[in-house]
Amino acid sequence: MGDNEKQHPQPHVELPIDVSLTKTQSNCKPQIQIQCLSCILTQFHAGYFRISLSLSSQAFLLKILIEPIQDAFALRRLFSSIPSSVHTLLWFLALFTLASLSFLYILKCLFHFDMIKEEFLNHVGVNYLFIPWISWLLLLESSPFLSPATLYYKVLWWVFVAPLVMLDVEIYGQWFTKGKGFLSIGANPTSQLSVIGNLVGAQAAAQMGWKESALCMFCLGSTHYLVLFVTLYQRLAGNNSVPSMLRPVFLSFAAPSMASLAWNSICGRFDTTCKMLFFLSLFLFMSLHLHTSERESPP
């Protein structure tokens, strides 16, 4: 290194910081986050609660399978050997999923109430509003911490059943007052969600020992299912207007399956009525499965 470079070192150059630019960028971050949240809320709808319904149903099914019973078959004894911690983990997963989805939907109610109103007035979207309450009831029945004899169980049953009854009054009232033409247009496969909600509420009431309330909910759900079954079977005008992605096929056999479980809880035994409902569900499942396989098979 030369003497000139030692005597005259290069000056340290500092670049000026654009303070206004950094402030603008810092202010834009909250706005971008708010826009992202608003975009998520506008695209979120009640149909996403099907995720929680699936998890809650699995938790309820697992609770039934791991319960010890007498004279169990070999397959049932295999399920009974599953540790209870597995059911608890699945129950907490379903609870976290349902709570997260409910929180998002509450935010949508606060910031986009006009979209909630449109969903409520839609003959397909209104049926998906039953799903969160069905999921809460299934979580209540499959809870590893609450017994049907406790006061908390009974209070939560009223909290979850009251919105179901209000939705029933709204939908059934329109069907009665607007004539059979409205029923042929408004009835669609998703209408069976209200039936499942009533049957789940009936089963929970039967477990608490409230036979009259259970019979009331069961009668409401079974009568509604008969009307829907005939209406959808006849394929009246307006039923084909529902998009294929909004036609949940599993609901066709889920309603009689749930009715079989509900009547079993009401009577205390798996009697002839339960068996009839079970075989009806099995027949619908086989019919829909074969039809779907034929439709998806290449020519």
Side-chain angles (χ1 to χ4, degrees):
M1 183 179 295
D3 297 337
N4 295 330
E5 293 181 355
K6 292 181 180 180
Q7 296 175 0
H8 303 283
Q10 294 181 356
H12 179 68
V13 180
E14 295 184 358
L15 295 177
I17 300 175
D18 192 349
V19 179
S20 61
L21 181 60
T22 55
K23 289 183 178 180
T24 304
Q25 290 178 352
S26 61
N27 293 332
C28 287
K29 289 181 180 179
Q31 295 179 359
I32 293 174
Q33 294 176 356
I34 293 175
Q35 291 178 356
C36 293
L37 179 60
S38 178
C39 182
I40 293 174
L41 294 178
T42 53
Q43 296 180 0
F44 183 78
H45 54 83
Y48 284 96
F49 282 102
R50 290 176 292 182
I51 304 173
S52 62
L53 178 61
S54 176
L55 293 174
S56 303
S57 302
Q58 294 299 320
F60 180 63
L61 175 62
L62 187 58
K63 181 183 179 181
I64 296 176
L65 292 177
I66 65 177
E67 288 179 349
I69 60 173
Q70 297 179 353
D71 300 329
F73 294 101
L75 184 60
R76 184 62 184 270
R77 288 196 297 269
L78 178 62
F79 285 107
S80 300
S81 62
I82 299 176
S84 59
S85 58
V86 177
H87 167 254
T88 304
L89 290 175
L90 181 59
W91 187 85
F92 273 112
L93 176 61
L95 177 63
F96 174 77
T97 303
L98 181 56
S100 301
L101 294 175
S102 301
F103 178 71
L104 287 176
Y105 204 78
I106 291 174
L107 290 179
K108 185 176 180 179
C109 292
L110 295 176
F111 297 105
H112 300 282
F113 186 74
D114 53 341
M115 300 182 66
I116 299 294
K117 186 176 180 181
E118 292 179 1
E119 191 172 9
F120 180 79
L121 296 176
N122 186 275
H123 67 282
V124 177
V126 67
N127 295 309
Y128 284 103
L129 297 178
F130 286 91
I131 298 183
W133 309 110
I134 298 173
S135 302
W136 283 116
L137 283 172
L138 289 174
L139 283 179
L140 180 63
E141 293 186 60
S142 59
S143 173
F145 310 106
L146 289 178
S147 172
T150 60
L151 178 63
Y152 295 105
Y153 193 101
K154 298 176 181 179
V155 171
L156 289 175
W157 183 86
W158 279 109
V159 171
F160 300 147
V161 167
L164 290 176
V165 176
M166 290 189 292
L167 287 172
D168 287 337
V169 171
E170 176 65 23
I171 294 177
Y172 300 164
Q174 292 181 2
W175 289 9
F176 283 118
T177 57
K178 295 186 179 181
K180 62 180 181 179
F182 182 81
L183 174 61
S184 63
I185 297 175
N188 58 84
T190 60
S191 301
Q192 298 175 93
L193 287 168
S194 61
V195 177
I196 297 175
N198 293 325
L199 296 175
V200 172
Q203 185 181 21
Q207 292 180 356
M208 294 186 298
W210 295 358
K211 299 297 182 181
E212 290 78 9
S213 300
L215 285 173
C216 177
M217 299 292 292
F218 184 87
C219 178
L220 185 62
S222 59
T223 305
H224 186 197
Y225 180 72
L226 290 175
V227 175
L228 279 175
F229 187 83
V230 174
T231 305
L232 297 177
Y233 185 80
Q234 291 179 346
R235 299 295 183 183
L236 298 179
N239 287 325
N240 295 327
S241 60
V242 181
S244 58
M245 65 177 299
L246 296 178
R247 299 175 190 173
V249 180
F250 76 94
L251 293 177
S252 299
F253 58 87
S257 300
M258 197 66 230
S260 178
L261 293 175
W263 191 252
N264 180 30
S265 299
I266 294 173
C267 296
R269 59 190 181 90
F270 202 77
D271 60 358
T272 304
T273 304
C274 297
K275 295 177 183 179
M276 292 172 60
L277 293 170
F278 170 77
F279 287 126
L280 173 61
S281 175
L282 182 62
F283 169 76
L284 293 174
F285 172 77
M286 294 177 60
S287 301
L288 293 171
H289 176 70
L290 293 175
H291 176 71
T292 305
S293 301
E294 292 177 357
R295 185 175 58 182
E296 293 179 355
S297 60

